[in-house]
Amino acid sequence: MKTWKRGHFNGQIGGLQLGHLIGLMIFGLVSYSMLMLRYKVFSHLAIATSFHNQSHHRGFVAPAIAYRHYGDEYKTPKPQILTKSPDIRKVDISLDFPTSPKFTNYFVKSNKPYNLCDTLEVSIEARNTKNESKLYGGDFFYVWIHSDELHASAAADEIIDHFNGTYTAKFRLHWTGQVKITIMLIHSAEAIDVLKRIREQFPARISYRGEFKTEGQTPWVSTPCHITTDFYIDPKDKYENMTFCNFTDEKTGFPWFCVKPKLLSCDRYVTHTSTWDEEYIGDLISDKEIRLYTSTEVVTSTAIPIYVVPSNMSNNAAVSKCVVKELQACVLGATETRPDDSVAGFYFKDIWHSLVCHNREFTPPGITKCLQNHTLYFLGDSTIRQWYEYFVRFILKDTIVEKLAAMPGFGPNFATDEAHDIHLKYIFHGYPILARENKAVVKDIKYMPNTIDDIVQENRVVVMITIWAHFGGTNLTYYRNKRFHSTLKIKKS
């Protein structure tokens, strides 16, 4: 979801006492399973981590089979029990006839006139490639409404999988005018069932490589690495009396192992990269299964756009958050009051309207003023790096001085605005790291909890975190553990 528009800062930095962490953003409630197929990398969304009922999801519907309640496993604050739902693997599934976006259809349940803040319900009927009605659920749809001329859009507040091939999407209508509906089939239930099998049976399916080198040595010695010693070893490598270098982090306990080179010591681990083995991947997935992942397509429909008019209660307003009482300001520690069946917000005229708290709109000069005497830590992957680069290139471009790492994509990168005492620091997360096009420098790799521990709280500090895309080649428990440790460090700081 878009979070930035050039010239606007659609959030708020809350001021706390000097030396305290004053901002926290945790992205990554979506975990990816990565399939490295043939000579092409396919990234497939295998699960969407949720703390809500498995048959109800905000903005999209993902298969119930892809969820597991983990309760108090990592002492997650206020865990909510996920209800048990049907397992589509118990149904007779035909990979020959998966869900088809061409034949799947949807329609608006009511043709009544719509007022601002009314609820719009859309019924989705999944059909297979033979144009037959599906008899089970589990498809992954992304559903949203939009008004292009108003630069307005919102994801569905709720999507209900009825587990019989039909789904209901619900929207609160937050703006007036013509509203269009768009539905995309991200993955069929059949494709997701394959992804879940691969995720659980082959958790170490991505091949990471450690490159070892002594002073002046050419070429590098490359060996396989992973979070466990039980991972795939290419038969062509022919390791004899194989031993491992244990690079498990002493403070966090996060594991990392590489096969030890025969003639080099473990301290010669210099760079990190990743790859995949075609023969190994060929053992995981059949040609028939590969065909399930051709493309993401829009579901076609004869449904016409609806038209929303102001209600008597809206005083002819063109946009409304449709809340009963006024939202709190977006500051650290604010209590979230939105109902479970509501998305986090919507866009109207390219401005984000939060339904979680009352957010302010900033211009670039306003951002500079707000961030004076602050240090901003951007921790995580390329998602957070893009935000860092937005600040450097568009917000503080006239006053910033940047120092880039040898591999800027992996950092650490630093930027300073001396005139306003603003400091930006982008630091990548620790292993596992997908580094196919560029190599990561080992001495620059640091786990986020350790980075947070090392923060010198001279100014007011903002910590922003993204952690998701690079963990597709691991199991869900490891990903949740990583995310939990980073969140806990923030809360203790």
Side-chain angles (χ1 to χ4, degrees), residues 58 156-158 172 174 336 338-345 355:
R58 296 174 180 173
D157 290 297
E158 184 180 23
R172 185 65 61 86
H174 290 284
E336 183 174 341
R338 66 171 170 151
D340 289 340
D341 59 349
S342 171
V343 289
L355 298 176

Side-chain angles (χ1 to χ4, degrees), residues 269-330:
Y269 183 25
V270 179
T271 54
H272 165 84
T273 185
S274 59
T275 182
W276 64 92
D277 184 272
E278 182 186 358
E279 294 180 4
Y280 174 50
I281 297 302
D283 292 337
L284 305 188
I285 188 168
S286 67
D287 290 340
K288 180 182 289 187
E289 291 171 333
I290 289 175
R291 289 195 292 270
L292 296 172
Y293 308 99
T294 53
S295 63
T296 297
E297 297 184 44
V298 174
V299 175
T300 58
S301 174
T302 56
I304 61 174
I306 65 167
Y307 196 85
V308 182
V309 298
S311 64
N312 294 332
M313 298 179 61
S314 65
N315 297 320
N316 294 321
V319 61
S320 174
K321 292 189 176 182
C322 306
V323 293
V324 177
K325 63 180 183 178
E326 192 170 343
L327 298 173
Q328 300 180 57
C330 294

Side-chain angles (χ1 to χ4, degrees), residues 183-414:
I183 300 176
M184 294 185 72
L185 175 64
I186 306 299
H187 282 314
S188 66
E190 295 77 15
I192 292 170
D193 198 48
V194 173
L195 289 176
K196 183 174 183 290
R197 172 182 62 79
I198 293 174
R199 186 196 70 201
E200 294 184 348
Q201 294 180 4
F202 307 97
R205 59 194 168 276
I206 293 178
S207 178
Y208 302 99
R209 307 289 295 188
E211 296 183 330
F212 296 75
K213 185 180 181 182
T214 57
E215 195 74 29
Q217 176 193 8
T218 305
W220 307 79
V221 176
S222 175
T223 69
C225 306
H226 218 290
I227 62 172
T228 172
T229 57
D230 183 21
F231 58 87
Y232 174 76
I233 302 294
D234 191 326
K236 296 190 292 292
D237 286 340
K238 297 180 180 179
Y239 292 105
E240 297 179 1
N241 301 318
M242 185 170 55
T243 59
F244 291 89
C245 292
N246 186 351
F247 298 113
T248 299
D249 184 69
E250 293 181 0
K251 293 181 67 176
T252 64
F254 292 146
W256 191 250
F257 302 91
C258 294
V259 174
K260 183 184 179 301
K262 185 176 182 180
L263 301 177
L264 293 176
S265 60
C266 293
D267 61 3
R268 296 301 180 180
Y269 183 25
V270 179
T271 54
H272 165 84
T273 185
S274 59
T275 182
W276 64 92
D277 184 272
E278 182 186 358
E279 294 180 4
Y280 174 50
I281 297 302
D283 292 337
L284 305 188
I285 188 168
S286 67
D287 290 340
K288 180 182 289 187
E289 291 171 333
I290 289 175
R291 289 195 292 270
L292 296 172
Y293 308 99
T294 53
S295 63
T296 297
E297 297 184 44
V298 174
V299 175
T300 58
S301 174
T302 56
I304 61 174
I306 65 167
Y307 196 85
V308 182
V309 298
S311 64
N312 294 332
M313 298 179 61
S314 65
N315 297 320
N316 294 321
V319 61
S320 174
K321 292 189 176 182
C322 306
V323 293
V324 177
K325 63 180 183 178
E326 192 170 343
L327 298 173
Q328 300 180 57
C330 294
V331 295
L332 187 66
T335 302
E336 183 174 341
T337 58
R338 66 171 170 151
D340 289 340
D341 59 349
S342 171
V343 289
F346 61 94
Y347 276 96
F348 183 76
K349 293 186 177 179
D350 281 328
I351 295 175
W352 174 250
H353 294 259
S354 172
L355 298 176
V356 177
C357 53
H358 178 66
N359 61 308
R360 294 163 53 191
E361 180 187 355
F362 286 81
T363 60
I367 298 174
T368 301
K369 182 179 179 181
C370 181
L371 295 181
Q372 274 190 299
N373 307 316
H374 281 79
T375 299
L376 280 64
Y377 283 84
F378 299 80
L379 309 182
D381 53 33
S382 60
T383 311
I384 203 72
R385 189 194 73 228
Q386 293 172 53
W387 201 5
Y388 164 88
E389 291 172 349
Y390 179 87
F391 274 91
V392 172
R393 297 174 184 176
F394 300 118
I395 303 302
L396 305 172
K397 60 180 180 179
D398 296 327
T399 55
I400 204 83
V401 176
E402 187 177 20
K403 180 181 179 181
L404 298 175
M407 294 292 180
F410 295 109
N413 300 337
F414 306 102

Side-chain angles (χ1 to χ4, degrees), residues 53-119:
N53 186 303
Q54 293 180 13
S55 62
H56 294 69
H57 307 285
R58 296 174 180 173
F60 58 85
V61 58
I65 62 158
Y67 291 79
R68 282 184 179 176
H69 169 55
Y70 55 91
D72 296 323
E73 184 178 355
Y74 297 114
K75 300 186 184 303
T76 311
K78 297 181 180 179
Q80 297 184 29
I81 297 176
L82 304 179
T83 59
K84 186 177 181 181
S85 52
D87 189 333
I88 66 171
R89 290 173 300 176
K90 296 179 181 179
V91 183
D92 185 17
I93 295 177
S94 172
L95 298 184
D96 293 319
F97 308 109
T99 306
S100 167
K102 178 180 178 181
F103 296 118
T104 294
N105 192 24
Y106 64 90
F107 59 89
V108 176
K109 284 193 171 182
S110 174
N111 293 322
K112 70 174 185 177
Y114 284 94
N115 293 327
L116 191 66
C117 296
D118 278 354
T119 297

